[in-house]
C-alpha cells in the first residue's frame, strides 16, 4: 500500500519537487572510479559481436583487426557477475529512486565518441560520472526521472572514447493501473523515438518493415539512422514476408511476469532470435507451441498479438511444417 501511495505522490511532482532537488545534488559526482575491463580487447568477442550484428567489414578480421567502434561499452560491462566498481554516490542515487517507487528501468538512448581504434590486447580502464538528472517526467511507460551517466574509456592509458548513457527510472504506469483495477498486468511499453517510429507505424498497420540502405541496398534490423555497411543515412523500407526460423532461443523462468504469459502465471515462456526469410534477425516471442518444444531451426510465421487495448506487438507462431 505504501508503495502505491508513493507512486501516486510521484505523479503529482511538477513544481516544487523536493526529490528532484535531492537528485540534482548527485550531478557531477562519480558513478565509477578507476574501473578496469574484465578482459582485454580480444578476437573472440569481436567475432561474436560481428556474427550477432551481421557485420562483415574486413577491418574486424585478420592480423591488423580492430574492434567495431560500437563495441566501446562492451569492454567495460560487468557481465553476469555484475559491477563491482560502482560508487557510493551511484548506489545512493538509485536507492532514492527505488524508495520513491521508481523501481523499473529502461535504457532510452546513448551517444558515443571514438578517439582511437581498439585492438586485440588493449587493456581497458574507465571512469564514469553522473552527468545529469532530469525533472520528473510522465511517459507512456510511467512517471520518473531520466539519469545520464558519462563514461570516459581509456586503452593502455590513452583516451579511446566517451560513452554517454541515458536511462529512465520510473514507476510503471501499466502495473499501477492493473493493481488499481484488479485486472491483468500490462507489458512494458516500447520506447518510440525518431529512429524507430516508422517501424511502430508499420506494426500498427500489421506490416513488419525492414530498413534498406538507399546506397548499397543492405537490409538492416533493428532500425538505425545509418547503414552498417557503407555509412549512408539514406534509406527506405521493404515489408517482410512474415516467414522465418528460430535462430536461437532462451526460456524465461524467473522473475515471473504475468503480462508475458497467456495464463497469467508469469512464465516460463520462450524468447527467440528469429531469422527472417529476408536475412535479418529480430527478437520476439514464440507462441502456439509449448515453451519446451521451441527448437533452433523451427519454422515460424509472423502474427500480430494485441496484448492489451493500447499495445500490439509482432510475434511468431511456431510450427513443424
Amino acid at each position: 500500500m505504501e508503495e502505491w501511495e508513493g507512486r501516486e505522490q510521484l505523479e503529482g511532482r511538477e513544481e516544487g519537487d523536493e526529490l528532484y532537488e535531492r537528485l540534482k545534488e548527485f550531478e557531477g559526482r562519480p558513478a565509477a572510479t578507476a574501473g578496469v575491463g574484465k578482459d582485454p580487447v580480444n578476437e573472440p568477442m569481436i567475432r561474436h559481436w560481428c556474427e550477432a550484428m551481421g557485420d562483415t567489414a574486413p577491418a574486424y578480421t585478420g592480423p591488423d583487426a580492430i574492434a567495431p567502434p560500437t563495441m566501446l561499452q562492451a569492454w567495460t560491462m560487468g557481465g553476469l557477475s555484475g559491477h563491482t566498481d560502482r560508487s557510493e554516490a551511484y548506489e545512493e542515487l538509485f536507492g532514492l529512486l527505488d524508495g520513491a517507487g521508481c523501481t523499473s528501468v529502461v535504457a532510452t538512448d546513448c551517444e558515443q565518441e571514438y578517439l582511437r581504434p581498439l585492438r586485440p590486447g588493449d587493456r581497458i580502464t574507465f571512469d564514469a560520472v553522473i552527468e545529469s538528472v532530469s525533472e520528473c517526467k510522465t511517459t507512456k511507460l510511467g512517471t520518473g526521472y531520466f539519469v545520464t551517466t558519462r563514461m570516459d574509456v581509456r586503452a593502455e592509458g590513452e583516451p579511446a572514447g566517451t560513452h554517454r548513457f541515458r536511462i529512465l527510472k520510473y514507476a510503471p504506469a501499466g502495473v499501477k493501473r492493473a493493481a488499481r483495477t484488479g485486472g491483468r498486468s500490462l507489458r512494458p511499453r516500447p520506447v518510440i523515438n525518431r529512429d524507430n517510429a516508422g517501424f511502430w507505424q508499420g506494426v500498427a498497420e500489421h506490416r513488419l518493415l525492414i530498413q534498406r540502405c538507399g546506397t548499397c541496398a543492405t537490409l538492416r534490423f533493428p532500425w538505425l539512422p545509418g547503414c552498417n555497411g557503407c555509412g549512408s543515412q539514406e534509406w527506405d523500407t521493404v515489408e517482410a514476408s512474415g516467414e522465418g526460423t528460430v535462430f536461437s532461443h532462451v526460456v524465461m523462468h524467473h522473475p515471473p511476469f504475468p503480462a508475458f504469459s497467456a495464463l497469467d502465471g508469469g512464465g516460463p515462456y520462450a524468447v527467440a532470435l528469429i531469422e527472417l526469410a529476408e536475412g535479418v534477425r529480430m527478437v520476439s516471442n514464440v507462441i502456439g507451441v509449448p515453451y519446451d518444444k521451441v527448437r533452433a531451426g523451427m519454422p515460424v510465421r509472423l502474427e500480430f498479438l494485441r496484448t492489451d487495448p493500447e499495445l500490439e506487438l509482432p510475434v511468431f507462431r511456431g510450427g513443424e511444417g
Side-chain angles (χ1 to χ4, degrees), residues 156-269:
E156 302 298 334
E158 300 177 358
T162 299
H163 177 78
R164 186 173 280 105
F165 194 64
R166 186 172 296 108
I167 64 171
L168 173 64
K169 278 283 285 179
Y170 64 98
V175 174
K176 181 178 61 182
R177 286 198 299 270
R180 283 177 175 170
T181 63
R184 187 180 178 193
S185 61
L186 305 183
R187 290 199 185 197
R189 280 23 213 166
V191 176
I192 301 176
N193 54 39
R194 62 183 180 182
D195 291 330
N196 65 14
F199 169 77
W200 290 106
Q201 180 60 41
V203 170
E205 299 168 356
H206 286 191
R207 303 166 65 214
L208 183 61
L209 299 179
I210 304 169
Q211 278 184 310
R212 177 174 58 192
C213 177
T215 300
C216 69
T218 298
L219 300 181
R220 64 179 185 261
F221 194 92
W223 281 38
L224 296 169
C227 177
N228 281 330
C230 69
S232 173
Q233 295 185 352
E234 301 297 324
W235 56 271
D236 60 6
T237 62
V238 296
E239 183 175 354
S241 67
E243 301 291 341
T245 57
V246 174
F247 184 81
S248 64
H249 77 286
V250 296
V251 175
M252 302 297 295
H253 292 270
H254 186 81
F257 193 176
F260 284 85
S261 171
L263 300 178
D264 281 351
Y269 55 91

Side-chain angles (χ1 to χ4, degrees), residues 46-321:
I46 294 172
R47 184 176 67 253
H48 294 326
W49 177 279
C50 290
E51 288 179 355
M53 297 297 177
D55 195 336
T56 59
Y60 308 140
T61 60
D64 298 321
I66 63 173
T70 49
M71 287 188 75
L72 183 67
Q73 185 194 19
W75 312 111
T76 68
M77 298 180 75
L80 293 177
S81 57
H83 289 276
T84 59
D85 46 34
R86 287 175 172 167
S87 68
E88 291 185 7
Y90 184 93
E91 300 292 352
E92 185 178 349
L93 170 64
F94 278 73
L96 285 172
L97 289 166
D98 288 341
C102 299
T103 54
S104 293
V105 61
V106 63
T108 62
D109 59 282
C110 71
E111 303 169 14
Q112 293 184 336
E113 179 182 7
Y114 312 118
L115 303 178
R116 90 151 173 80
L118 299 179
R119 296 179 172 84
D122 281 343
R123 284 284 178 180
I124 301 300
T125 56
F126 56 91
D127 295 297
V129 64
I130 302 166
E131 191 168 71
S132 66
V133 183
S134 77
E135 296 180 352
C136 188
K137 304 290 185 180
T138 298
T139 72
K140 289 185 178 180
L141 288 173
T143 299
Y145 299 82
F146 290 90
V147 179
T148 304
T149 55
R150 189 191 74 244
M151 178 179 291
D152 296 311
V153 180
R154 297 177 297 278
E156 302 298 334
E158 300 177 358
T162 299
H163 177 78
R164 186 173 280 105
F165 194 64
R166 186 172 296 108
I167 64 171
L168 173 64
K169 278 283 285 179
Y170 64 98
V175 174
K176 181 178 61 182
R177 286 198 299 270
R180 283 177 175 170
T181 63
R184 187 180 178 193
S185 61
L186 305 183
R187 290 199 185 197
R189 280 23 213 166
V191 176
I192 301 176
N193 54 39
R194 62 183 180 182
D195 291 330
N196 65 14
F199 169 77
W200 290 106
Q201 180 60 41
V203 170
E205 299 168 356
H206 286 191
R207 303 166 65 214
L208 183 61
L209 299 179
I210 304 169
Q211 278 184 310
R212 177 174 58 192
C213 177
T215 300
C216 69
T218 298
L219 300 181
R220 64 179 185 261
F221 194 92
W223 281 38
L224 296 169
C227 177
N228 281 330
C230 69
S232 173
Q233 295 185 352
E234 301 297 324
W235 56 271
D236 60 6
T237 62
V238 296
E239 183 175 354
S241 67
E243 301 291 341
T245 57
V246 174
F247 184 81
S248 64
H249 77 286
V250 296
V251 175
M252 302 297 295
H253 292 270
H254 186 81
F257 193 176
F260 284 85
S261 171
L263 300 178
D264 281 351
Y269 55 91
V271 179
L273 182 62
I274 305 296
E275 185 162 75
L276 300 179
E278 291 74 18
V280 298
R281 299 170 186 163
M282 67 177 291
V283 176
S284 184
N285 290 122
V286 176
I287 65 172
V289 293
Y291 68 86
D292 58 352
K293 299 300 182 183
V294 177
R295 294 290 184 269
M298 172 182 284
V300 292
R301 176 72 187 175
L302 173 69
E303 292 187 6
F304 291 90
L305 175 67
R306 181 164 294 281
T307 64
D308 61 67
E310 300 174 359
L311 183 64
E312 196 164 18
L313 297 172
V315 297
F316 290 84
R317 182 170 294 276
E320 299 298 335

